[in-house]
Amino acid sequence: MGAGSSSLALESEGGSSPLRPNLDDVPESSVASILMHLDPPEICKLAKVNKTFHGASLADFVWETKLPSNYKYLVEKILGQSPESLSKKEIYTRLCQPNCFEDGTKQVWLDKSSGKICVAVSYKALRITGIDDRRYWNHISSEESRFNTIAYLQQIWWLEVVGELEFEFPAGTYSLFFKLQLGKTSKKFGRRACNVDQVHGWGVKPVRFHLSTSNGQQASSECYLHQQGKWGHYRVGDFVADNKNTPMKLKFSMMQIDCTHTKGGVCLDSVFICPSEFREKLKQF
């Protein structure tokens, strides 16, 4: 025991104390192998423990497991860079920010916790009946929009809104929503107020929504617009993306074409596409 055991002790003025293993003694590669099984927020928290954990949290193989299967497509199309020029953590971090494309009329971002894709399409990218005629529509700056501008319909007889999106979605089930509000929002003395004086016609006949995909999927829904003063996400339907590395073309619409009455007082912000399990998160979008 003598000489052998002496190597396992630290000498001090008061005697000796046994060496105790601590987190600094754990190999960085071992820490990284553990981190790859955690969610991104947990990885970022543990990266603050010490230098070893910080170094492990930067490993490419840790973050590659968090990135969507189409991340190379996103880096090239959205970030305009080569995937090989960025670390996997940097790719994840940048894709978690709202990234605009197609002249700023569309946005894509990753959910920070899950790494799943969400897409938003501004009303400016949609074909809308009478959108350039001030008798019908006003374009209003708004802090409540991801795109900082919304369209406000004063009054119209025939309303048709049509949009398209071609995008490479990772495999999964997605839902598509129109973000609408009855009433025009303003701020008075720093408080939010909503004028609903021009809201009319939405309870006479339902609004019809439709979604179709380039691989033959179809979905339809209809409902009366009734939620005044609050933004609502009106679900059009779901679609399934199952072909990796293959762009899918979506076509979606919103119609109220009953010309027996006028309708007005509605704000149109955008269209949202997100994983179907994210429906409870819609308020944050």
Side-chain angles (χ1 to χ4, degrees):
M1 293 264 314
S5 62
S6 64
S7 63
L8 299 178
L10 285 176
E11 296 296 331
S12 64
E13 292 182 1
S16 63
S17 60
L19 277 173
R20 295 181 179 178
N22 58 52
L23 290 176
D24 291 324
D25 299 322
V26 182
E28 188 174 295
S29 59
S30 298
V31 175
S33 296
I34 296 172
L35 294 182
M36 68 182 293
H37 297 289
L38 304 179
D39 292 332
E42 296 173 321
I43 295 173
C44 293
K45 287 180 181 179
L46 290 174
K48 301 175 182 179
V49 170
N50 58 30
K51 291 183 178 179
T52 301
F53 275 67
H54 177 72
S57 72
L58 301 177
D60 272 352
F61 74 85
V62 170
W63 289 97
E64 190 161 17
T65 62
K66 312 305 172 188
L67 289 167
S69 59
N70 68 336
Y71 78 88
K72 292 182 179 180
Y73 164 85
L74 295 173
V75 173
E76 293 172 353
K77 178 180 175 66
I78 307 302
L79 302 183
Q81 293 186 251
S82 167
E84 289 71 32
S85 66
L86 302 171
S87 71
K88 298 301 186 293
K89 183 180 181 181
E90 185 176 1
I91 291 174
Y92 191 92
T93 301
R94 292 181 61 178
L95 289 180
C96 283
Q97 303 301 316
N99 292 281
C100 295
F101 62 107
E102 295 191 12
D103 299 322
T105 62
K106 297 172 183 175
Q107 283 187 5
V108 60
W109 67 97
L110 302 185
D111 175 68
K112 292 181 180 179
S113 298
S114 65
K116 294 191 176 183
I117 282 181
C118 300
V119 180
V121 180
S122 167
Y123 80 87
K124 293 183 179 180
L126 309 178
R127 300 192 302 277
I128 304 172
T129 308
I131 190 63
D132 296 320
D133 193 326
R134 292 185 179 180
R135 293 176 299 173
Y136 305 126
W137 293 92
N138 294 143
H139 303 270
I140 304 173
S141 297
S142 174
E143 296 177 352
E144 298 179 349
S145 170
R146 299 186 71 89
F147 299 95
N148 301 313
T149 309
I150 59 175
Y152 176 70
L153 175 63
Q154 300 179 90
Q155 179 172 292
I156 205 166
W157 289 90
W158 175 294
L159 176 63
E160 187 172 0
V161 181
V162 179
E164 294 182 354
L165 172 69
E166 186 170 5
F167 196 80
E168 184 180 305
F169 290 94
T173 302
Y174 297 84
S175 298
L176 187 144
F177 303 83
F178 274 84
K179 184 181 177 183
L180 309 168
Q181 175 184 267
L182 293 181
K184 182 165 59 175
T185 303
S186 62
K187 279 194 174 181
K188 293 183 179 180
F189 306 108
R191 300 184 65 180
R192 186 181 190 274
C194 189
N195 187 323
V196 297
D197 292 345
Q198 290 184 308
V199 176
H200 69 283
W202 303 108
V204 180
K205 291 290 180 67
V207 174
R208 295 181 178 179
F209 300 96
H210 186 72
L211 165 67
S212 61
T213 70
S214 54
N215 63 357
Q217 298 178 66
Q218 303 275 341
S220 297
S221 63
E222 62 177 45
C223 69
Y224 294 92
L225 304 188
H226 55 80
Q227 192 169 356
Q228 296 189 5
K230 295 181 180 179
W231 288 103
H233 290 82
Y234 293 85
R235 179 171 167 267
V236 180
D238 298 345
F239 66 92
V240 177
D242 53 12
N243 295 322
K244 295 181 179 179
N245 305 318
T246 302
M248 175 182 285
K249 189 171 185 179
L250 307 179
K251 185 174 182 179
F252 40 88
S253 63
M254 164 186 166
M255 298 183 185
Q256 219 298 5
I257 57 177
D258 186 333
C259 292
T260 61
H261 67 285
T262 62
K263 63 280 296 180
V266 69
C267 288
L268 171 58
D269 176 29
S270 53
V271 170
F272 279 96
I273 301 133
C274 63
S276 294
E277 64 268 27
F278 279 19
R279 292 178 192 174
E280 298 302 319
K281 293 185 176 184
L282 286 175
K283 289 183 180 180
Q284 64 184 266
F285 299 154

